[in-house]
DNA sequence: CTGGGGAGGGGGCCC
DNA sequence: AGGGCCCCCTCCCCA
C-alpha cells in the first residue's frame, strides 16, 4: 500500500515550514542575504550540503559561485523539485548561473536540469565555472578569509567530500517533459544521495535535536529546567568547537528549533516577508505566509522586537531597506525597526542583522573603522562612531561579502594602509606594528592616533581600580597605564588599543575584539537563549542574566543605596538610582 | 505627562 | 574559552 501523494505532501509541508521558518535549523548566508532552511533537507539534497550542515548551522556560500537570487531559486528547487522561472529567470544567463551554483553545491539533479535546459536553448554551460575549485576548497578559502585569527588549516573538520569535479549528471531523474516555466525533477522522493533515510524521522521529531552540534557552541548549557527546548541542547558541545566553526558556523540547531518556541521573533522574522523592494526578488513573495504570530512572553515579546533598537537609537537611518523576501534578508536594513512592536516581529531579524553593522561603515573605506572602534555602540551606530574611548581602531578587518572594494586584500592595516588577503596575515603584520612601532612611537610621544582621540583618551585614562595594587598587577599597559595580573590579560587589553576587532560577526559584519564577545553576539542573532529560569521559564542569553533574574523570584535585593536605604535587585539599577541622588535636578 | 523603578538586552573588558 | 561583572540603552509599569 502506498499513498500516492505522500512524498508530494511531505515536500509541500516542508516548504511551507521553510517559508515560515518553522523548525529551520540552519542559516545560509549568501552575500548579505540570509536563508533559512532545514538541515535534513539540505543534506538530503546534496552531499556538499550534507558535509556543511553536519558541523555548522550558519553557512557562508561562495559568492563567486552563487548569488542570493540564484540561491533562492536553488532553495526553491530543493524544496519543491521545481524550477519556477520568470521571464527573467528563464534566461540563459540565469540557467548558467544556476548551473554554476548547482555544480558548486553539488546539486546534481539541478545541474543536469540546467544543462539540459541550456542545451535545449542552444546555449552552453558556463565553460570555465565547473572547473573552478570545488566547493570544499572554495569554502575553506572563503572561511579562512572570513575567520580572522583562526589558525591556518582550520576547516579541517569537514569531512572529505567527493571530488569537486563536476561530473555529468544523470538525466534519468529528470522528467523528460520540461515546460519553459516549470521544470520538475522526476520524483520528489528521489534524492541525490541516500542520506535521507532519517529525514522524515528527524523532521517529525522536530528537527535536528539529535544532531551533534559540532559547530561553534553558542547555546551553552541550559539549566535542567529548560524544558523540551533545552533538552535538545547538547551539553557537550563546548569542547567541540572547531576553529573553522567560528567563521562558518554559529549555533546548534536544537537551539534554533528551540527558538521557534520560545523566541518567536527570530524564527518568525527571518522567515516572514518584509517589504519587497529588492530589485532581485521583488516579483514575488511566495511566503507571504501569515504564520502564527510569535508567542510572546510577557515583556519579552516587545523586548525581543526591540532587540536592535539600541543601535538604532540615535543613529542614522540608512537609505537602504533590507527587505526580507522568501526568507531572505536582502542587504542591510536601516536602523529603524519598522516593524518593531508590530507584533509580527517580521522585521527584526533583518533589523538586527544589519543594524549591527551599518552599511555605511562598511561602504566607507577602512579608515572609518578607526572611528568606530571605541565602542560597539559607536560602530553599530554608524554616525556615532567617534565616541567610545581611546580605542582607536588602527587596523581594520574586512569581511568578505561586506566590503569588496579591497579586492583580495580585504584586511587593511590602517596605519600603513597595507592590505592583506587574510586576517592571519593582517594580524601577523599588526604584530610587527605593535612591537616595532607602537612603543617606539609612544616613547616619542607620538602614538598613532586619530585626530579626534584626545577626548577619548581621557575616557580611558588610568582611572579606577586599574592602578591600585601595582605590586599584584605588575603588567602595565604602556598606552593607558592600566595594569594587569598576567601578561596574557595585558596582551588582550593592548589589543583593544591597537587591534581592531579581529572577530567579525558572519551575519552582520560587526567586529569584535574578543572571540567570546563575538560568540555571545552571535547568540543574539540566532535567538539562542540557553539559560532558562526554572520559575517562570524566561530564557536568557547569558548565565549572568539568569542569575540577576532569579532575584526577581527570590526577592533578594542585595544592592542597597547608602543614601536612602533603597534596595535593588540589580546593581545597575542601584547605579541608576544613585544618579538620581546625585544629579542636579 | 513625567519621573523612578524594574528588568531585558547588548558590548567591553578582566579574570 | 568561558564566566562574570560593569556600563549602557531601552522599554514597560506604576505612582
Amino acid at each position: 500500500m502506498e499513498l500516492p501523494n505522500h512524498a508530494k505532501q511531505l515536500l509541500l509541508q516542508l516548504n511551507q515550514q521553510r517559508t515560515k521558518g518553522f523548525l529551520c535549523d540552519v542559516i545560509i548566508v549568501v552575500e548579505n542575504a540570509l536563508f533559512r532552511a532545514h538541515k535534513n533537507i539540505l543534506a538530503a539534497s546534496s552531499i556538499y550540503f550534507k558535509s556543511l550542515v553536519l558541523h555548522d548551522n550558519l553557512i557562508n556560500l561562495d559568492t563567486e559561485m552563487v548569488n542570493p537570487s540564484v540561491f533562492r531559486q536553488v532553495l526553491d528547487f530543493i524544496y519543491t523539485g521545481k524550477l519556477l522561472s520568470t521571464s527573467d529567470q528563464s534566461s540563459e544567463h540565469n540557467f548558467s548561473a544556476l548551473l554554476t551554483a548547482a555544480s558548486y553545491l553539488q546539486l546534481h539533479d539541478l545541474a543536469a536540469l540546467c544543462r539540459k535546459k541550456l542545451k535545449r536553448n542552444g546555449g552552453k554551460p558556463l565553460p570555465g565555472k565547473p572547473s573552478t575549485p570545488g566547493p570544499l576548497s572554495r569554502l575553506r578559502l572563503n572561511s579562512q578569509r572570513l575567520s580572522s585569527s583562526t589558525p591556518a588549516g582550520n576547516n579541517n573538520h569537514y569531512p572529505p567530500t567527493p571530488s569537486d569535479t563536476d561530473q555529468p549528471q544523470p538525466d534519468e531523474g529528470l522528467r523528460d517533459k520540461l515546460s519553459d516555466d516549470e521544470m520538475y525533477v522526476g520524483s520528489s522522493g528521489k534524492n541525490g544521495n541516500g542520506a535521507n533515510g532519517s529525514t522524515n524521522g528527524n523532521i517529525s521529531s522536530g528537527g535536528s535535536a539529535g544532531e551533534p552540534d559540532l559547530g561553534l557552541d553558542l547555546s551553552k548549557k541550559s539549566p535542567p529546567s529548560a524544558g523540551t527546548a533545552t533538552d535538545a541542547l547538547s551539553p557537550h558541545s563546548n569542547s567541540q568547537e572547531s576553529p573553522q566553526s567560528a567563521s562558518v558556523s554559529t549555533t546548534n540547531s536544537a537551539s534554533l528549533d528551540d527558538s521557534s518556541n520560545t523566541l518567536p521573533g527570530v524564527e518568525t522574522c527571518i522567515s516572514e516577508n518584509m517589504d519587497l523592494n529588492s530589485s532581485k526578488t521583488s516579483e514575488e513573495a511566495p511566503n507571504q505566509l501569515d504564520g502564527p504570530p510569535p508567542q510572546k512572553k510577557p515583556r519579552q515579546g516587545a523586548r525581543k522586537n526591540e532587540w536592535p533598537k539600541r543601535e538604532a537609537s540615535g543613529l542614522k537611518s540608512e537609505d537602504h531597506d533590507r527587505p526580507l523576501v522568501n526568507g531572505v534578508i536582502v542587504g542591510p536594513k536601516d536602523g529603524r525597526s519598522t516593524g518593531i512592536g508590530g507584533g509580527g516581529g517580521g522585521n527584526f531579524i533583518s533589523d538586527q542583522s544589519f543594524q549591527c553593522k551599518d552599511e555605511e561603515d562598511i561602504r566607507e573605506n577602512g579608515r572609518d573603522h578607526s572611528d568606530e572602534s571605541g565602542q560597539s555602540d559607536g560602530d553599530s551606530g554608524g554616525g556615532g562612531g567617534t565616541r567610545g574611548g581611546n580605542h582607536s581602531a588602527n587596523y581594520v578587518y574586512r569581511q568578505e561579502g561586506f566590503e569588496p572594494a579591497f579586492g583580495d586584500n580585504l584586511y587593511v592595516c590602517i596605519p600603513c594602509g597595507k592590505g592583506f588577503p587574510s586576517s592571519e596575515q593582517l594580524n601577523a603584520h599588526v604584530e610587527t606594528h605593535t612591537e616595532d612601532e607602537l612603543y617606539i612611537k609612544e616613547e616619542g610621544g607620538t602614538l598613532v592616533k586619530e585626530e579626534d582621540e584626545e577626548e577619548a583618551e581621557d575616557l580611558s585614562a588610568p582611572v579606577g581600580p586599574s592602578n591600585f595594587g601595582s605590586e599584584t598587577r605588575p603588567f602595565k599597559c604602556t598606552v593607558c597605564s592600566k595594569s594587569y595580573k598576567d601578561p596574557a590579560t595585558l596582551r588582550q587589553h593592548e589589543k583593544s588599543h591597537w587591534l581592531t576587532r579581529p572577530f567579525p560577526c558572519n551575519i552582520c559584519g560587526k567586529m569584535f575584539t574578543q572571540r567570546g564577545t563575538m560568540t555571545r553576539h552571535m547568540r543574539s542573532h540566532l535567538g539562542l537563549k540557553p539559560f532558562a529560569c526554572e520559575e517562570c521559564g524566561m530564557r536568557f542569553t547569558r548565565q549572568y542574566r539568569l542569575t540577576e533574574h532569579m532575584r526577581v523570584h527570590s526577592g533578594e535585593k542585595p544592592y542597597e543605596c547608602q543614601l536612602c536605604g533603597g534596595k535593588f535587585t540589580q546593581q545597575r539599577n542601584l547605579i541608576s538610582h544613585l544618579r538620581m541622588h546625585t544629579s542636579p535636578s
Side-chain angles (χ1 to χ4, degrees):
Chain A
M1 290 174 59
E2 181 180 353
L3 286 176
N5 282 335
H6 179 72
K8 190 176 179 181
Q9 287 300 320
L10 197 60
L11 210 54
L12 198 64
Q13 286 295 318
L14 288 168
N15 195 36
Q16 283 181 0
Q17 290 183 9
R18 172 179 69 100
T19 56
K20 292 179 182 177
F22 185 62
L23 295 179
C24 287
D25 51 7
V26 63
I27 295 176
I28 304 103
V29 181
V30 185
E31 290 180 1
N32 45 18
L34 303 183
F35 299 81
R36 298 205 68 177
H38 303 96
K39 285 186 171 186
N40 280 322
I41 305 302
L42 297 184
S45 306
S46 142
I47 198 166
Y48 174 48
F49 271 133
K50 187 179 174 187
S51 70
L52 289 181
V53 302
L54 181 64
H55 299 283
D56 297 315
N57 306 297
L58 183 76
I59 297 172
N60 277 286
L61 295 184
D62 189 336
T63 55
E64 289 178 31
M65 308 300 283
V66 58
N67 65 44
S69 173
V70 166
F71 187 72
R72 188 171 52 82
Q73 296 176 67
V74 168
L75 211 50
D76 285 341
F77 175 83
I78 289 174
Y79 274 81
T80 63
K82 303 175 186 176
L83 260 183
L84 300 169
S85 55
T86 65
S87 58
D88 175 46
Q89 289 173 339
S90 61
S91 71
E92 205 164 285
H93 179 268
N94 180 56
F95 282 116
S96 294
L98 264 176
L99 175 56
T100 299
S103 301
Y104 163 53
L105 300 170
Q106 298 189 23
L107 293 158
H108 301 319
D109 282 344
L110 178 58
L113 202 59
C114 292
R115 278 198 202 89
K116 195 165 187 173
K117 189 70 184 173
L118 285 168
K119 199 173 177 181
R120 183 169 294 189
N121 291 351
K124 295 175 189 166
L126 289 184
K129 283 292 183 179
S131 63
T132 52
L136 201 57
S137 57
R138 296 202 65 84
L139 181 87
R140 285 185 176 141
L141 194 146
N142 200 17
S143 60
Q144 204 166 354
R145 267 198 250 167
L146 283 169
S147 69
S148 70
S149 65
T150 46
N154 38 18
N155 309 304
N156 54 8
H157 74 277
Y158 277 105
T161 60
S163 87
D164 50 11
T165 59
D166 190 33
Q167 304 135 344
Q169 302 313 314
D171 281 0
E172 289 76 23
L174 306 177
R175 245 162 79 150
D176 283 333
K177 191 141 183 93
L178 299 173
S179 83
D180 280 336
D181 297 325
E182 213 168 2
M183 295 184 286
Y184 295 83
V185 166
S187 158
S188 59
K190 176 176 191 259
N191 289 290
N193 55 44
N196 54 346
S198 62
T199 297
N200 291 350
N202 279 350
I203 287 166
S204 64
S205 66
S208 52
E211 195 161 354
D213 47 341
L214 301 175
L216 183 62
D217 177 28
L218 302 171
S219 64
K220 305 289 184 244
K221 297 169 284 291
S222 182
S225 72
T228 60
T230 343
D231 294 340
L233 300 175
S234 82
H236 68 279
S237 52
N238 277 353
S239 59
Q240 301 276 1
E241 177 178 347
S242 65
Q244 179 275 340
S245 64
S247 68
V248 174
S249 76
T250 52
T251 178
N252 97 27
S253 55
S255 302
L256 278 171
D257 287 345
D258 178 22
S259 69
S260 69
N261 294 326
T262 59
L263 305 163
V266 169
E267 199 68 28
T268 314
C269 296
I270 202 160
S271 62
E272 287 183 2
N273 291 327
M274 305 180 61
D275 45 333
L276 310 176
N277 48 2
S278 155
S279 59
K280 287 177 183 173
T281 49
S282 59
E283 81 274 5
E284 93 294 271
N287 63 331
Q288 201 107 12
L289 300 174
D290 42 36
Q295 332 163 357
K296 297 184 191 292
K297 295 185 174 177
R299 299 179 59 89
Q300 188 177 0
R303 272 196 193 290
K304 189 61 198 168
N305 279 343
E306 83 202 28
W307 179 19
K309 273 268 199 65
R310 183 164 82 89
E311 289 159 346
S313 66
L315 306 173
K316 70 191 185 294
S317 143
E318 279 296 320
D319 299 331
H320 320 273
D321 286 332
R322 305 307 307 262
L324 189 148
V325 179
N326 202 12
V328 185
I329 299 165
V330 183
K333 179 89 168 87
D334 81 64
R336 315 290 171 196
S337 311
T338 56
I340 286 177
N347 294 351
F348 84 76
I349 253 282
S350 147
D351 288 343
Q352 79 196 20
S353 295
F354 293 98
Q355 279 174 342
C356 295
K357 184 66 187 171
D358 264 7
E359 193 180 27
E360 185 173 309
D361 288 346
I362 300 165
R363 258 189 272 115
E364 291 169 7
N365 282 342
R367 288 207 76 79
D368 58 3
H369 279 271
S370 59
D371 291 334
E372 62 146 359
S373 65
Q375 301 290 332
S376 63
D377 301 2
D379 60 345
S380 62
T386 53
R387 75 183 176 96
N390 63 338
H391 301 176
S392 294
N394 295 306
Y395 304 89
V396 168
Y397 175 92
R398 283 294 169 191
Q399 181 169 3
E400 183 181 83
F402 289 95
E403 176 52 80
F406 290 93
D408 283 340
N409 297 327
L410 299 174
Y411 306 86
V412 176
C413 172
I414 292 296
C416 70
K418 269 179 107 173
F420 298 89
S422 74
S423 60
E424 288 82 4
Q425 292 178 41
L426 170 60
N427 285 345
H429 165 81
V430 159
E431 290 302 322
T432 68
H433 271 307
T434 54
E435 289 165 13
D436 298 339
E437 298 173 18
L438 171 59
Y439 302 113
I440 295 172
K441 285 179 182 174
E442 190 202 22
E443 286 170 11
T446 55
L447 281 166
V448 179
K449 290 171 186 171
E450 300 299 324
E451 295 108 6
D452 61 346
E453 55 68 53
E454 284 81 7
E455 287 184 36
E457 178 77 0
D458 296 335
L459 296 176
S460 73
V463 295
S466 50
N467 280 338
F468 64 74
S470 59
E471 312 82 37
T472 58
R473 304 168 78 94
F475 300 97
K476 196 172 177 180
C477 172
T478 55
V479 178
C480 70
S481 300
K482 279 186 178 178
S483 51
Y484 298 90
K485 288 177 181 171
D486 66 284
T489 305
L490 172 60
R491 222 168 15 245
Q492 187 180 45
H493 163 80
E494 284 180 328
K495 287 189 176 182
S496 72
H497 289 302
W498 296 100
L499 268 183
T500 288
R501 297 152 201 279
F503 303 102
C505 168
N506 276 331
I507 292 180
C508 68
K510 186 166 183 165
M511 301 181 223
F512 298 87
T513 54
Q514 297 186 18
R515 184 189 299 277
T517 307
M518 185 272 291
T519 302
R520 193 179 62 192
H521 164 85
M522 290 295 283
R523 266 191 245 159
S524 69
H525 273 309
L526 298 161
L528 298 180
K529 297 188 173 186
F531 306 101
C533 171
E534 295 187 9
E535 299 285 330
C536 66
M538 190 164 277
R539 303 176 71 89
F540 301 87
T541 55
R542 310 176 191 182
Q543 174 70 58
Y544 183 65
R545 296 291 185 222
L546 175 59
T547 304
E548 273 186 339
H549 166 82
M550 291 311 290
R551 296 193 195 118
V552 175
H553 297 299
S554 68
E556 183 191 6
K557 293 189 174 182
Y559 303 99
E560 183 171 356
C561 173
Q562 298 299 315
L563 297 175
C564 70
K567 295 185 175 179
F568 302 86
T569 55
Q570 296 184 15
Q571 188 184 33
R572 51 197 163 128
N573 289 331
L574 170 59
I575 294 170
S576 160
H577 167 83
L578 286 171
R579 283 202 199 100
M580 188 262 296
H581 277 307
T582 57
S583 68
S585 57

